[in-house]
Amino acid sequence: MYQDKTLVCKDCGKEFVFTAGEQEFYASRGFENEPQRCKACRDARKNATRGQREMYTATCASCGAEARVPFKPREDRPVYCSECYAKMKDAQ
């Protein structure tokens, strides 16, 4: 029913493909308009409005290494570095 369409990004002017699967997804969500930006420009636009996250320094409760986290650590909750967090998640 749907066929791939080649569209032109309104930001960068490059061509991109609006796939049949994407068209089906848009239709299932009730979206009536085709995308006007390529994926790279959509992502850049999303990230520009988000802003930078404030990062905090904490000590890993497992190995004692310094960890950078996007939330303010609390003394009553353990904080783990990326490696220890991944190990814990894999063990579950």
Side-chain angles (χ1 to χ4, degrees), residues 51-90:
Q52 293 293 328
R53 293 178 97 176
E54 185 175 350
M55 298 296 280
Y56 298 89
T57 302
T59 302
C60 177
S62 182
C63 70
E66 184 178 288
R68 304 263 306 145
V69 294
F71 57 88
K72 189 169 185 168
R74 298 183 349 205
E75 289 185 25
D76 62 329
R77 309 240 343 164
V79 175
Y80 301 98
C81 67
S82 298
E83 275 187 33
C84 291
Y85 183 76
K87 287 177 192 172
M88 288 176 52
K89 210 169 178 181
D90 288 342

Side-chain angles (χ1 to χ4, degrees), residues 2-19:
Y2 296 103
Q3 292 183 342
D4 290 358
K5 290 183 184 179
T6 300
L7 303 175
V8 177
C9 178
K10 80 177 204 177
D11 285 353
C12 68
K14 293 181 182 174
E15 290 185 345
F16 66 98
V17 177
F18 185 35
T19 67

